Amino acid sequence: MKISEIGTREVLIDGCDMSLADTFGCGQCFRWEFDGEGWRGVAMGRAVRCVQRENGFIIENTSIEEAKSLWYGYFDLGRDYGAVTDSIGDDEYLSAAAKFGRGIRILRQEPLETIISFIISSNNNIKRIRGIIERFCVLYGKPVNAFGGTFYAFPDYEDLKRVTMEGLTPLRAGFRQKYIMDAAEKINSGELDPDGLCGLSTEEASAELMKIKGIGEKVSDCILLFGFGRYEVFPKDIWIKRVLSDVYGGSFDENAFGENAGIVQQYLYHYARCSGTKK
DNA sequence: CCCCAGGAGACTC
DNA sequence: GAGTCTCATGGG
C-alpha cells in the first residue's frame, strides 16, 4: 500500500482492498454521501471527498501528512482484509457474503460520534437515522467550508455541553431523545469518558457504555466495533438474527472467527440487507 | 388499516 | 434467566 500526493491537496491511496460504495454503504457510518462521482464526508473535523480508483482510492482536500496521521487509521489501512476473507473457510453462505462485500473496511470512527449515532439507530431505519444525525450536526456541530459548500462536523465534547432536552426536539428522534440527553449528561459531567474506554477491556468498556440509557448489548457492540476497533464483537441486529436463524438454524458460532468476528458480521449484514438489490 | 426499522427498558413469570 | 409490551417517527 502506497500513499502519495498526486495533486493539490489530493492524495492517492494505492494498493489496498477498498470499495468505497460498500464501505460507506454497509451501515457502519451514516454521514458519507455520494455526489455522483465521489463520496463527501466530514470526519475528525475535516471535510474530504473520496473517489474510487481501480486498486485504491483518492482523498481530496487533505495532505499527505493528514493521510498518514489521520485517514490511515480512519480507513484501517494497516489491515489486510484479503487475509481475513481468505481465513473464512468453506462456509458457502459466508463465502458468498464475503465475496459480495469484498472491499468493505471497518472504519475507525470517533467514539462520541458512534455513541450518539448508534443510540439513534435503535429500532430505526438507516434513512431516518441519517436524517436525525444530520440535524444533530447542523444544530450543534461546527461548520466546515469545503468544495464550495458548508458541511457540519459531528459535535465535539465542547459542543455537547450546549445540548439540552428542548434543543433536541427538532431532531424528531422520538423516544431516543431522552437517551441522547442521558448520554450527553453522563459525558458532560465526566461520569463517562468515551476516550477513556480505550484503556479498558472490551467487556469493561461495554459495561461502561451500557450505563447510558438506550445502550444495550447490540448498540454497545456497534460502538465498540466501529468506534473502538474491537473486532472481536459480533453485533446482532434484526438482519443478523434473521440470517442466524433462517440460514444457519441457530447453529452459527461467531466465536469461531475470534478477532475477525466483527468483520465477518459486517459481511453477513451487508449481504443480507443488499443481496438482490445490487447488480 | 397494517407492518417494519442496525433495540432497549420495564414488567411479568 | 426467558417472554411480552411499549416506546416516536416515517416509509412502504
Side-chain angles (χ1 to χ4, degrees):
Chain A
M1 207 261 314
K2 203 171 95 182
I3 301 176
S4 55
E5 205 145 16
I6 59 170
T8 308
R9 293 187 62 71
E10 202 173 317
V11 174
L12 171 67
I13 313 295
D14 192 37
C16 75
D17 217 341
M18 165 63 99
S19 162
L20 294 175
D22 290 308
T23 295
F24 293 143
C26 71
Q28 62 174 323
C29 56
F30 303 100
R31 300 207 64 213
W32 290 89
E33 203 165 340
F34 191 59
D35 66 11
E37 187 185 350
W39 297 83
R40 300 181 181 196
V42 188
M44 301 168 291
R46 288 147 176 92
V48 294
R49 182 168 177 268
C50 297
V51 182
Q52 186 71 51
R53 282 293 176 265
E54 186 69 29
N55 197 26
F57 64 110
I58 290 169
I59 309 177
E60 297 174 356
N61 198 30
T62 193
S63 64
I64 193 157
E65 290 79 18
E66 277 188 355
K68 288 177 177 173
S69 64
L70 297 175
W71 300 111
Y72 184 92
Y74 184 82
F75 288 107
D76 197 22
L77 296 177
R79 185 176 306 268
D80 181 1
Y81 279 76
V84 176
T85 56
D86 288 345
S87 72
I88 273 176
D90 56 359
D91 183 300
E92 194 179 328
Y93 185 86
L94 183 49
S95 297
K99 186 178 178 185
F100 179 85
R102 183 175 184 83
I104 287 180
R105 308 187 74 86
I106 304 290
L107 301 175
R108 179 65 173 266
Q109 303 175 69
E110 293 159 279
L112 181 58
E113 179 168 349
T114 55
I115 289 171
I116 302 295
S117 295
F118 282 94
I119 285 174
I120 292 169
S121 79
S122 177
N123 193 30
N124 211 341
N125 61 72
I126 289 182
K127 182 184 166 92
R128 194 163 163 263
I129 294 166
R130 291 173 63 98
I132 294 170
I133 292 173
E134 193 57 31
R135 290 190 286 278
F136 183 61
C137 293
V138 172
L139 265 176
Y140 290 104
K142 294 179 177 63
V144 183
N145 293 317
F147 309 110
T150 303
F151 298 78
Y152 290 88
F154 196 93
D156 61 21
Y157 293 114
E158 281 307 306
D159 300 321
L160 196 67
K161 294 187 190 305
R162 296 187 294 107
V163 172
T164 63
M165 195 61 181
E166 307 78 62
L168 290 172
T169 302
L171 301 189
R172 305 196 298 278
F175 63 86
R176 309 163 194 85
Q177 183 171 347
K178 54 183 178 293
Y179 296 157
I180 299 170
M181 194 62 225
D182 187 61
E185 284 171 351
K186 284 189 167 68
I187 293 169
N188 288 338
S189 71
E191 185 179 341
L192 182 80
D193 172 23
D195 294 326
L197 300 181
C198 296
L200 302 180
S201 72
T202 297
E203 204 168 309
E204 291 168 335
S206 183
E208 282 299 304
L209 285 169
M210 287 196 281
K211 287 179 181 173
I212 294 174
K213 288 177 186 167
I215 299 184
E217 195 174 341
K218 188 269 169 184
V219 168
S220 169
D221 281 351
C222 283
I223 294 168
L224 289 167
L225 178 58
F226 304 130
F228 291 89
R230 305 299 173 104
Y231 298 86
E232 73 271 29
V233 303
F234 190 90
K236 289 174 186 159
D237 76 308
I238 183 69
W239 292 92
I240 289 292
K241 284 177 181 172
R242 264 181 219 148
V243 170
L244 298 195
S245 165
D246 299 350
V247 179
Y248 293 94
S251 67
F252 189 86
D253 179 22
E254 65 262 31
N255 298 315
F257 302 98
E259 293 299 311
N260 294 324
I263 299 173
V264 168
Q265 188 273 0
Q266 207 53 27
Y267 289 143
L268 289 174
Y269 172 80
H270 188 52
Y271 188 53
R273 226 171 67 83
C274 299
S275 57
T277 65
K278 185 173 148 182
K279 53 178 176 175

